[in-house]
């Protein structure tokens, strides 16, 4: 399962051929959502072979998978034996994506069982392997399941943490299969990286995104134009590189990235609390973060007083002035504490003298890296693309030409991984 670039390109698709994806389907009710993932994969030019477990067909039948993929569907190793499918399918894949990965399937994969076509495929695949688990919270949190997940991750697989929310029946909690559109993004990004090692595997990253809102009264706030797109691109690319991701999101109207733990906040004060807690690892089992990236636009000021009821027009007296007080600077606080090996990455939104202002800000806020981009009404905010210069505390400067926000995100992670202290295991 550990990917090897040379092996993957030998065994997988020819250059320019449609990428070959094996879609492994486990016996969970969320199998119905995987039809949508399959449709997205085939419509975007992937060559998809669906390999369900026998029990998965109780949830979604063979004709659905066959019709949507345009290929025959088998679950056992005794069909079409002359083509040696139990070996070939895994050997020739560019990506194996398993969704929903049930507790049973994770256990069989972790223990190397080979009792059906899918587990045989997992043993013969040398390409990247992604598991998207879905199950009830108790099963997900059980130490046996967690140990199996840790084993699979240690062997190089990407295990996309399930989303939290409504489960089958009345319960809610972690265990939901993430949105098919977001799973598709994971597949697309992992394929785009080819056989490149998941260099953030075993790392915990914290990313802040969006723009804070500072309440004035029950209906009004001071806010900013940040859409959250850059922070979400950072979270998505980090998941595809194998990281555990905590995404502290302020007022973002975007779907949760698959695999990221999303903590929603509104104000700068709330963001400070959530970021510091996630950075320390106290709020989850993820341990102290290896890196904190402050991509959020945090309001520098907030109203000095919050009016408990809606502020009324004052007849003839004109508008009342709004007194402001300064918010804590979260990035400067992260940079100033002793953070023993934890990298701190900031963003700088500048309208003029980018490099000069950027260098000053990098030093003032004590960060290891600072992504400086030019902002204005029609630059950056809400756009899918971005251009930046990434300054390093070591004096380095990396120019990132205008391109998709995920390309900038990948450059940030490249610079981060080059600076992360070595660490054993995952
Ligand atoms: N930031 C923060 N807390 C604040 C303000 C900003 O953590 N109260 C972080 C942002 O998330 C970003 C970086 O600081 O990573 C730079 O933000 P920017 O608005 O460019 O800098 P300011 O400190 O506000 O400086 P100025 O507005 O004077 O340029």
């Amino acid at each position: 399962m550990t990917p090897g670039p040379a092996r993957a390109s030998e065994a997988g698709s020819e250059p320019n051929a449609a990428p070959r994806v094996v879609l492994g389907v486990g016996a969970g009710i969320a199998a119905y959502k995987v039809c949508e993932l399959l449709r997205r994969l085939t419509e975007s030019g992937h060559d998809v072979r669906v390999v369900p477990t026998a029990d998965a067909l109780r949830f979604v039948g063979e004709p659905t998978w066959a019709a949507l993929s345009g290929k025959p569907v088998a679950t056992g190793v005794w069909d079409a034996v002359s083509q040696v499918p139990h070996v070939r399918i895994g050997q020739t894949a560019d990506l194996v994506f398993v969704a929903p990965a049930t507790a049973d399937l994770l256990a069989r994969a972790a223990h190397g069982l080979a009792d059906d076509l899918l587990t045989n495929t997992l043993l013969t695949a040398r390409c990247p392997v992604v598991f998207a688990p879905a199950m009830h919270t108790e099963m997900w949190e059980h130490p046996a399941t967690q140990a199996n997940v840790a084993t699979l991750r240690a062997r190089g697989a990407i295990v996309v943490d399930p989303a939290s929310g409504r489960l089958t029946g009345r319960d809610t909690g972690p265990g939901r299969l993430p949105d098919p559109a977001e799973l598709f993004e994971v597949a697309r990004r992992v394929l785009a990286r080819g056989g490149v090692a998941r260099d953030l595997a075993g790392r915990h990253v914290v990313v802040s995104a969006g723009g804070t809102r500072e309440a004035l009264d029950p209906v009004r706030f001071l806010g900013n134009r940040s859409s959250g797109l850059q922070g979400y691109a950072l979270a998505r690319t980090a998941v595809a590189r194998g990281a555990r991701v905590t995404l502290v999101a302020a007022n973002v109207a975007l779907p949760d990235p698959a695999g990221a733990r999303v903590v929603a906040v509104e104000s700068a004060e709330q963001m400070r609390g959530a970021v510091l807690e996630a950075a320390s690892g106290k709020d989850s089992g993820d341990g102290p973060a290896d890196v904190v990236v402050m991509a959020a636009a945090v309001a520098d000021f907030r109203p000095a007083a919050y009016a408990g009821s809606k502020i009324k027009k004052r007849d003839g007296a004109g508008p009342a002035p709004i007194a402001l007080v300064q918010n804590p600077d979260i990035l400067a606080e992260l940079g100033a504490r002793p953070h023993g090996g934890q990298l701190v990455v900031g963003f700088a939104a500048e309208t003029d003298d980018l490099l000069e202002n950027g260098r000053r800000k990098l030093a003032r806020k004590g960060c290891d890296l600072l992504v400086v981009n030019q902002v204005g009404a029609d630059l950056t905010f809400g756009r899918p693309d971005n251009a930046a210069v990434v300054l390093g505390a070591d004096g380095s400067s990396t120019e990132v030409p205008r391109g998709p926000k995920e390309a900038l995100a990948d450059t940030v992670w490249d610079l981060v991984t080059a600076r992360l202290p070595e660490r054993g295991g995952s």
Side-chain angles (χ1 to χ4, degrees), residues 252-272:
V252 180
L254 296 170
D256 289 353
R261 191 173 66 91
V262 181
V263 182
V265 298
E266 187 166 321
S267 66
E269 274 291 354
Q270 288 170 358
M271 175 159 280
R272 176 179 174 275

Side-chain angles (χ1 to χ4, degrees), residues 4 69 72 88 106 119 134 142 179 184 205 219 225 228 233 236 239 273 275 287 343 374 386 394:
S69 67
R88 284 276 179 280
L106 291 169
T119 45
H142 194 284
D179 266 6
F184 171 69
V205 311
V219 294
R225 291 175 184 273
R236 290 196 178 98
V239 168
V275 167
L343 293 183
Q374 190 163 23
N386 206 350
D394 50 8

Side-chain angles (χ1 to χ4, degrees), residues 13-63:
S13 307
E14 297 298 315
N16 304 326
R20 289 190 199 154
V21 179
V22 173
L23 187 55
V25 185
I29 184 85
Y32 79 92
K33 293 189 190 171
V34 178
C35 300
E36 172 66 13
L37 171 61
L38 171 57
R39 201 184 56 77
R40 283 178 186 264
L41 286 165
T42 52
E43 284 179 2
S44 54
H46 298 83
D47 177 343
V48 189
R49 170 92 193 220
V50 183
V51 183
T53 63
D55 281 342
L57 299 182
R58 294 172 183 256
F59 291 100
V60 176
E62 183 268 343

Side-chain angles (χ1 to χ4, degrees), residues 44-258:
S44 54
H46 298 83
D47 177 343
V48 189
R49 170 92 193 220
V50 183
V51 183
T53 63
D55 281 342
L57 299 182
R58 294 172 183 256
F59 291 100
V60 176
E62 183 268 343
T64 303
W65 302 119
L68 287 175
S69 67
K71 287 192 195 303
V73 171
T75 61
V77 293
W78 304 111
D79 303 307
V81 174
S82 63
Q83 291 158 30
V84 206
H86 74 289
V87 177
R88 284 276 179 280
I89 294 174
Q91 277 182 337
T92 55
D94 295 304
L95 170 69
V96 178
F97 199 106
V98 183
T102 58
D104 178 68
L105 193 45
L106 291 169
R108 288 193 289 139
H111 291 276
L113 299 195
D115 49 357
D116 64 5
L117 189 56
L118 179 52
T119 45
N120 274 270
T121 299
L122 288 167
L123 285 180
T124 51
R126 293 296 177 270
C127 58
V129 177
V130 179
F131 292 92
M135 62 197 76
H136 273 84
T137 306
E138 293 83 351
M139 296 175 88
W140 171 246
E141 291 178 344
H142 194 284
T145 304
Q146 289 302 309
N148 290 330
V149 167
T151 300
L152 293 166
R153 282 184 171 144
R155 289 192 197 132
I158 290 183
V159 183
V160 177
D161 278 347
S164 278
R166 185 77 193 259
L167 304 169
T168 320
R170 294 231 184 101
D171 15 4
T172 55
R176 271 173 73 87
L177 191 73
D179 266 6
E182 291 298 321
L183 290 177
F184 171 69
E185 288 303 316
V186 175
R188 199 170 67 77
R189 285 189 170 84
V190 172
L191 275 167
R193 288 182 63 74
V196 177
R198 271 141 294 291
D199 50 6
L200 288 172
R203 304 288 187 176
H204 174 212
V205 311
V206 176
V207 177
S208 72
T212 62
R213 290 178 179 176
E214 311 302 317
L216 200 53
D217 70 16
V219 294
R220 302 182 181 96
F221 58 83
L222 302 179
N224 62 65
R225 291 175 184 273
S226 178
S227 62
L229 283 170
Q230 185 62 65
Y232 274 50
L234 281 155
R236 290 196 178 98
T237 46
V239 168
R241 293 171 77 140
R244 279 159 300 130
V245 179
T246 303
L247 177 59
V248 181
N251 312 299
V252 180
L254 296 170
D256 289 353

